[in-house]
Amino acid sequence: MLWFTLSRNEEQTLAVQIEEELRKRILASQLRENEKLPSSRELAHSLGVSRNTVNEAYEQLLMEGYIYRIPRSGTYVSKGLAFKKERRQLPPFEKQIHQPEEPIIDFKASQPALDHFPRQAWANTYKQVCLTANEDVFGYQSALGHVQLREAIANYLGRLRGVEALPDQIVITTGATQALSLLTTLLQTVGEKVCVEDPVTEEMRSIFTEAGAKIEPIHTDEHGINPAHLPKNHKPRFVFTIPSHQFPLGAILPVKRRIELVEYARRMETYIIEDDYDSEFIYEGTPVQAMQSLDTEHVIYLGTFSKILSPSLRIGYMVLPYHLVERAKKQKWFTDRHTSSLEQVALAMFIKEGLFEKHIRRMKKLYAKRRKVLVEAIQATFSQCDIIGQAAGMHLVVRFNNVNRIHAHDLVNHHVHAIIVEHFSIEKGQHQNELVLGYGHLQEEDILEGIKRLKKALTSCVAE
Ligand SMILES: Cc1ncc(COP(=O)(O)O)c(C=O)c1O
């Protein structure tokens, strides 16, 4: 006699509970192949349910092939279903004793002030789009991205970054990260060299190497990438640069070097990929126009909304020379068809209604204040240091002239975290006494406390 308990309060119906129990027993060989199951009347009686309920469960199992029926004989377990589920090997559970730790002050870079995300304005805009947008917004769209957002970006870039772009040259991507990944494939880099600023983040590097490209590091100093170091006797597939606020060094590339880079691209018939990820936040002088304004055929311009608004939006874009647009569109389609249209249309409306630029103005004020607090604290605390790359963005670099080498563990021991520039270097040995300090996400009191801790942490390095 087959018997098991059924729960009458479960969200699952009684029939589904019977199916699951029988499935489990068949797979575990507790009900063996060709074994006869009780009739629906018998099983209904032993479980205390209606015959219809058992019939419903049997019909489902019959359809899935767990059981078979012989007319005028009965219902049987199908053959060949004994099946052992593989058990995951779990590491032995170790009970950890958690001691309350002092929270680390993390000068991580590239993190916007998430607590200042314009929640209300974004929610209003998004709601309006959901309630009023044309039906087509809810369907599949062009792989280039929604035309309203491409128009809004073209207009914004023309006015504020000097970028020459028509909406048809813009591809909306899932962040600048995806734009880089698409470009690396599109420009056929497998087994080929691509020139990359050194230092550069490991993430950027790995986007290129994972796609099969070989990295050629190009020396980058406090003025940015040095075109004199670009290869002369072979052509790289592209040169990757962040001219408006190099990461990590923070340099703003002088116009002379920009012209040299463009001339190089023309001479070698290659491309410059210009990553313009946080140039909206300029604190000294006027913003330098994008390099793309010097040459629309050899410079591919990348932008993102991750730093101005939020990385969670996952919206970035690339501005391409016309001859690359069709291929990029195909590549984007193959990757994920297109970026989410609802967010795109909401963002387009957010830009058109002036809310985006209003937010930039607010954030620029906030970051300028935090940067001032940080710079003054560094100057008051460390007598022998240089501050590099402070004119823009949300991070700067400090070079400690009386320190040979900074150790990450000394920082951790003092509950402060910052990345040593050396960590981003391809050619090692030149940036061991420099730290990247991101401040966009930190409250003023945390910045001040963080610098105090840094002072203590670096005392042991000075003694070396
Ligand atoms: C140099 C650089 N460019 C661009 C980005 C933005 O990437 P995404 O738009 O995919 O968020 C980042 C992210 O930290 C970055 O460090």
Side-chain angles (χ1 to χ4, degrees):
M1 174 59 62
L2 198 54
W3 186 84
F4 39 84
T5 47
L6 297 171
S7 165
R8 312 243 160 206
N9 308 318
E10 290 249 336
E11 283 175 10
Q12 280 178 328
T13 63
L14 293 170
V16 169
Q17 291 180 55
I18 296 169
E19 279 163 37
E20 290 208 340
E21 189 60 36
L22 293 180
R23 264 193 218 100
K24 208 168 71 190
R25 291 186 182 205
I26 292 171
L27 291 176
S29 298
Q30 289 165 356
L31 289 169
R32 282 187 294 277
E33 58 186 50
N34 296 328
E35 183 173 334
K36 190 172 183 187
L37 293 179
S39 70
S40 56
R41 188 192 302 275
E42 285 166 342
L43 188 57
H45 181 74
S46 79
L47 297 179
V49 298
S50 77
R51 209 173 148 194
N52 275 350
T53 302
V54 175
N55 277 334
E56 197 184 320
Y58 275 8
E59 283 306 319
Q60 182 64 29
L61 294 170
L62 195 67
M63 206 173 71
E64 292 177 18
Y66 281 87
I67 56 178
Y68 64 95
R69 266 197 197 127
I70 299 178
R72 288 185 298 280
S73 168
T75 305
Y76 298 85
V77 175
S78 300
K79 277 188 187 168
L81 299 185
F83 179 73
K84 264 205 179 120
K85 261 194 180 176
E86 275 189 12
R87 288 198 149 266
R88 251 191 319 153
Q89 289 290 322
L90 294 176
F93 178 72
E94 271 178 39
K95 221 175 169 187
Q96 298 202 347
I97 301 158
H98 287 287
Q99 286 174 344
E101 277 236 4
E102 193 172 1
I104 285 197
I105 293 181
D106 192 348
F107 284 100
K108 64 183 158 200
S110 300
Q111 171 91 336
L114 301 178
D115 53 337
H116 285 257
F117 180 80
R119 288 183 189 232
Q120 194 58 55
W122 179 258
N124 293 345
T125 311
Y126 198 81
K127 184 174 173 190
Q128 202 179 331
V129 168
C130 281
L131 296 178
T132 63
N134 280 340
E135 270 172 29
D136 65 345
V137 169
F138 299 91
Y140 288 115
Q141 297 282 328
S142 162
L144 291 180
H146 200 282
V147 68
Q148 286 179 22
L149 181 58
R150 289 187 282 121
E151 281 171 357
I153 291 174
N155 178 292
Y156 167 78
L157 290 179
R159 282 187 300 112
L160 288 149
R161 302 293 302 125
V163 171
E164 280 182 43
L166 291 171
D168 289 351
Q169 284 171 271
I170 297 176
V171 183
I172 307 295
T173 55
T174 305
T177 306
Q178 189 187 45
L180 277 172
S181 165
L182 295 175
L183 282 171
T184 314
T185 309
L186 187 76
L187 299 178
Q188 298 173 329
T189 56
V190 177
E192 301 286 337
K193 292 216 166 142
V194 300
C195 290
V196 173
E197 291 177 337
D198 178 18
V200 66
T201 67
E202 208 167 321
E203 285 89 348
M204 295 287 147
R205 252 188 279 162
S206 54
I207 294 173
F208 307 141
T209 52
E210 286 294 316
K214 292 183 186 153
I215 301 278
E216 182 154 354
I218 304 298
H219 182 72
T220 299
D221 56 30
E222 51 199 77
H223 301 294
I225 187 168
N226 189 344
H229 292 271
L230 288 166
K232 304 207 173 36
N233 44 16
H234 62 270
K235 160 179 152 169
R237 285 286 166 172
F238 59 75
V239 179
F240 173 73
T241 178
I242 313 177
S244 47
H245 189 231
Q246 205 273 340
F247 193 92
L249 293 177
I252 298 177
L253 196 68
V255 67
K256 185 166 175 293
R257 287 193 182 184
R258 290 175 186 239
I259 291 172
E260 284 167 5
L261 267 185
V262 168
E263 282 175 346
Y264 177 83
R266 287 181 183 170
R267 203 167 51 248
M268 302 296 270
E269 296 183 347
T270 188
Y271 296 98
I272 308 291
I273 298 182
E274 173 180 23
D275 180 356
D276 202 18
Y277 73 108
D278 74 351
S279 64
E280 277 76 8
F281 307 122
I282 288 272
Y283 313 109
E284 291 170 12
T286 46
V288 184
Q289 290 208 329
M291 270 182 68
Q292 193 264 9
S293 65
L294 297 175
D295 188 320
T296 55
E297 290 306 290
H298 295 89
V299 182
I300 297 168
Y301 178 91
L302 307 188
T304 178
F305 292 92
S306 290
K307 308 300 161 184
I308 306 171
L309 275 171
S310 157
S312 72
L313 281 177
R314 304 312 303 134
I315 301 184
Y317 52 90
M318 50 185 168
V319 180
L320 295 162
Y322 265 115
H323 61 271
L324 291 179
V325 171
E326 266 314 303
R327 274 158 60 203
K329 187 177 171 186
K330 266 195 192 148
Q331 197 67 41
K332 171 70 179 163
W333 194 96
F334 288 137
T335 308
D336 59 3
R337 202 147 182 166
H338 62 75
T339 297
S340 161
S341 303
L342 273 179
E343 272 81 0
Q344 288 188 53
V345 177
L347 185 52
M349 189 183 276
F350 199 77
I351 297 172
K352 279 189 198 140
E353 291 187 350
L355 298 167
F356 181 64
E357 284 174 50
K358 185 174 163 199
H359 180 66
I360 294 178
R361 287 194 294 275
R362 270 190 50 223
M363 298 311 282
K364 198 168 150 179
K365 257 192 212 157
L366 177 83
Y367 295 147
K369 216 161 153 235
R370 291 182 175 178
R371 164 184 168 271
K372 186 165 179 281
V373 170
L374 176 62
V375 170
E376 286 175 359
I378 295 167
Q379 286 167 340
T381 310
F382 302 100
S383 53
Q384 298 187 52
C385 74
D386 298 314
I387 300 176
I388 306 164
Q390 56 164 313
M394 294 180 288
H395 77 271
L396 48 78
V397 168
V398 189
R399 181 186 299 137
F400 298 92
N401 295 317
N402 53 344
V403 172
N404 282 334
R405 175 189 273 245
I406 301 167
H407 301 289
H409 58 84
D410 283 328
L411 305 185
V412 175
N413 288 345
H414 289 85
H415 304 285
V416 61
H417 180 258
I419 299 189
I420 304 158
V421 177
E422 186 70 4
H423 172 82
F424 297 112
S425 295
I426 303 173
E427 310 248 319
K428 296 289 182 195
Q430 296 166 55
H431 298 284
Q432 291 166 325
N433 62 341
E434 296 168 5
L435 280 183
V436 183
L437 300 184
Y439 53 83
H441 60 298
L442 288 177
Q443 306 287 341
E444 291 176 23
E445 55 272 24
D446 288 334
I447 294 176
L448 295 173
E449 174 60 24
I451 292 299
K452 272 191 207 157
R453 294 184 191 180
L454 208 53
K455 172 75 177 167
K456 286 186 200 152
L458 292 184
T459 308
S460 44
C461 303
V462 173
E464 265 190 13

